[in-house]
Amino acid sequence: MVKKNPNVLSFKGCNFMRQRLILSVLTGKSITISDIRSLDTEPGLREYEVNLLRLIDKITNGTLIEVNETGTSFAFTPGSLTGGEISHECCKLRAIGYYLEVIMALAPFCKKPLSITLHGVTNNQIDPSVDSFKNGCLNVLKNFIVIDPGIEFKIKKRGVEPEGGGEIYFHCPKLKLKANQVKDMGKVKKIRGTAFSLRVSPALANRFVESSKGELLKFLPDVFISTDVVKGQAAGKSPGFGGSLVAETTTGCKFTSDKVSLPATRQIPEDLGKDAAWLLLEEISRGGVVDSSFQTLACVYMAFTTKDVSQCVMGPLSPYTIEFMRHLRTFIGLTFKLEPYIEANPNDEENESNLKFGTNKVLVTAVGVGYHKFS
């Protein structure tokens, strides 16, 4: 990365594009990204990346985007975050979760309440599902707001690859963020979930429930997974099935996992159900108070809150989160303090072994930059 001047940052490659666009909008700094897949057989921006730029243009006012002829580089000059009522057709190559990461990061800082309807794929193999955002991500956001004035998240239609057909509605009123110390994960008290079937036999969703519930009941008695057998237009345009699981702790922390069938393949729902259960158990074993898929969004809220100390205990930091912390240092000069987190209990032999051999939990500390909405 090469700096040209304090207000224009230059990057190379297509990796971490969403992170750079989010921070560019929040800080008001222009960016240029070059060498986008310049060595690939199909160089340049992909359709879903161009679609994301259009979405950001809709929720801002005065944004300038200049893309070169080959699509291998572009200049992005951010406008002010306005919000308002927006409807957007997402690219079917990526799920709605790909776009929700940007929406969730920017929504609390909009000048007006943001009411957005997104159409596209709700569940795929790459991105977190809309169920995970509804359960896990909103839970992270609520830790950093003073009062919840009525955030809404509705899944109106479901849609899987390749044709999609899903629809979600997200409403974020004006929010005031606060610094917070979130350290206590608590104990897992219950597991809930939803199994869905779209344009296939409802029995597939029931078999998914039986297999995943069978695995989870070995560890916890309070497990309930409902079925969502969607018919007609609400079932999207492609056949498929899958499910989403969420574990809730005694302190209100939530961990999520997803599994969905591959398009145009014959898959056994029992295998998908077991995989979803094992993924959830793995997520729980990581520890912390934030789902690993939403560590980056927690860092956004910690960085752009009031000028006070925020602390958050996370499990092992993902490479995506580590790169986001580096980008925060580049854009606003903010650095995080990272240290191993061990719950204070000197009489606990397990904690003594953690002190000796290390722990997988990380205490993340940051001082907010005192971000204010544009008036």
Side-chain angles (χ1 to χ4, degrees):
M1 189 198 68
V2 181
K3 291 184 180 180
K4 293 183 178 179
N5 64 58
N7 291 322
V8 179
L9 299 174
S10 298
F11 300 92
K12 290 187 177 182
C14 60
N15 290 338
F16 313 108
M17 184 178 293
R18 283 176 295 175
Q19 296 183 3
R20 295 163 181 171
L21 291 173
I22 288 170
L23 292 176
S24 174
V25 172
L26 291 178
T27 60
K29 292 185 178 180
S30 302
I31 61 171
T32 60
I33 301 180
S34 58
D35 294 343
I36 300 173
R37 302 184 182 89
S38 56
L39 300 179
D40 286 12
T41 54
E42 297 181 6
L45 291 166
R46 295 289 183 258
E47 182 182 347
Y48 57 85
E49 293 168 336
V50 175
N51 191 281
L52 176 63
L53 291 172
R54 293 196 188 104
L55 174 60
I56 294 175
D57 186 44
K58 287 182 180 180
I59 63 176
T60 57
N61 182 26
T63 296
L64 298 176
I65 305 169
E66 298 178 6
V67 184
N68 70 349
E69 294 180 357
T70 59
T72 55
S73 68
F74 71 91
F76 180 85
T77 303
S80 59
L81 273 170
T82 54
E85 294 188 6
I86 298 167
S87 179
H88 185 72
E89 186 72 35
C90 300
C91 178
K92 297 171 187 174
L93 297 175
R94 295 296 291 263
I96 291 175
Y98 174 83
Y99 302 88
L100 276 176
E101 180 182 332
V102 177
I103 295 296
M104 291 290 187
L106 300 179
F109 307 102
C110 289
K111 185 194 302 184
K112 297 184 291 186
L114 176 66
S115 298
I116 186 166
T117 301
L118 298 175
H119 305 266
V121 176
T122 57
N123 302 76
N124 73 352
Q125 303 288 328
I126 308 172
D127 306 293
S129 71
V130 292
D131 299 270
S132 291
F133 274 92
K134 182 179 181 179
N135 294 309
C137 184
L138 287 185
N139 194 57
V140 175
L141 174 59
K142 289 176 180 178
N143 283 325
F144 292 94
I145 58 178
V146 179
I147 300 173
D148 182 4
I151 300 173
E152 293 182 47
F153 194 111
K154 297 179 181 178
I155 304 172
K156 295 186 175 181
K157 299 178 183 179
R158 292 187 182 274
V160 294
E161 293 179 309
E163 295 301 322
E167 179 183 337
I168 67 106
Y169 171 77
F170 174 59
H171 173 71
C172 182
K174 287 186 177 181
L175 300 178
K176 185 177 181 181
L177 295 186
K178 64 176 181 179
N180 199 5
Q181 287 80 39
V182 192
K183 298 180 183 179
D184 189 7
M185 171 184 167
K187 303 292 184 182
V188 177
K189 65 177 182 178
K190 63 181 180 181
I191 294 176
R192 298 291 182 263
T194 302
F196 61 87
S197 59
L198 312 176
R199 301 189 181 277
V200 293
S201 171
L204 296 178
N206 293 328
R207 289 163 62 187
F208 180 98
V209 170
E210 290 177 7
S211 62
S212 57
K213 193 173 180 179
E215 294 296 316
L216 295 171
L217 284 174
K218 298 175 183 177
F219 304 94
L220 194 72
D222 190 358
V223 179
F224 180 77
I225 305 172
S226 60
T227 56
D228 185 10
V229 181
V230 191
K231 298 180 180 179
Q233 292 183 347
K237 300 177 182 179
S238 298
F241 63 92
S244 177
L245 303 176
V246 55
E248 185 175 345
T249 70
T250 52
T251 57
C253 302
K254 293 184 178 180
F255 304 94
T256 64
S257 69
D258 305 298
K259 264 305 195 182
V260 64
S261 59
L262 286 166
T265 58
R266 293 183 180 180
Q267 288 186 287
I268 302 174
E270 284 81 1
D271 292 344
L272 283 184
K274 288 181 180 179
D275 289 346
W278 293 339
L279 286 173
L280 182 64
L281 294 173
E282 181 184 352
E283 192 63 49
I284 294 170
S285 71
R286 291 172 177 268
V289 299
V290 179
D291 190 292
S292 61
S293 300
F294 308 118
Q295 290 176 346
T296 301
L297 289 169
C299 292
V300 172
Y301 305 141
M302 292 173 69
F304 290 95
T305 184
T306 54
K307 291 184 177 180
D308 204 349
V309 177
S310 292
Q311 288 185 315
C312 185
V313 176
M314 301 183 186
L317 298 179
S318 65
Y320 191 75
T321 305
I322 293 170
E323 193 63 34
F324 183 74
M325 291 180 174
R326 291 171 179 160
H327 278 115
L328 273 171
R329 184 180 59 185
T330 302
F331 276 88
I332 58 176
L334 176 69
T335 55
F336 289 82
K337 181 182 178 183
L338 307 177
E339 52 190 332
Y341 178 75
I342 301 169
E343 297 177 7
N345 187 355
N347 297 322
D348 192 343
E349 295 181 359
E350 182 181 349
N351 283 331
E352 289 182 6
S353 64
N354 283 340
L355 284 168
K356 185 176 180 181
F357 299 106
T359 176
N360 62 345
K361 295 182 184 178
V362 181
L363 177 61
V364 181
T365 307
V367 178
V369 297
Y371 184 89
H372 297 285
K373 298 184 183 73
F374 295 107
S375 59

